[in-house]
Amino acid sequence: MYKFEVYKDKAGEFRFRFRASNGEVMFASEGYKAKASAQSAIESIRKNVPDAGLDDQT
């Protein structure tokens, strides 16, 4: 099961990471001062990912 995890880092900022069904971290966020900001970013990703394009810069 894919999932987002919200956690607090050593600096006291809220971050999230996205894990694949095998437990591997696929990506992680920047730090946010407020937990609500991290949660808002997750909701934005959930809402907008189906329309995400690919920018191959190779």
Side-chain angles (χ1 to χ4, degrees), residues 5-27:
E5 297 176 337
V6 177
Y7 64 98
K8 211 171 197 183
D9 67 15
K10 292 178 184 177
E13 292 187 321
F14 293 94
R15 294 178 179 266
F16 63 87
R17 56 188 157 231
F18 185 76
R19 287 193 185 267
S21 56
N22 65 0
E24 183 177 340
V25 175
M26 296 180 71
F27 64 87

Side-chain angles (χ1 to χ4, degrees), residues 11-56:
E13 292 187 321
F14 293 94
R15 294 178 179 266
F16 63 87
R17 56 188 157 231
F18 185 76
R19 287 193 185 267
S21 56
N22 65 0
E24 183 177 340
V25 175
M26 296 180 71
F27 64 87
S29 74
E30 62 183 288
Y32 296 91
K33 299 273 185 218
K35 185 176 181 179
S37 297
Q39 292 170 319
S40 178
I42 291 169
E43 289 310 312
S44 178
I45 291 168
R46 285 181 168 159
K47 178 179 162 186
N48 295 302
V49 166
D51 298 328
L54 172 64
D55 182 10
D56 185 349

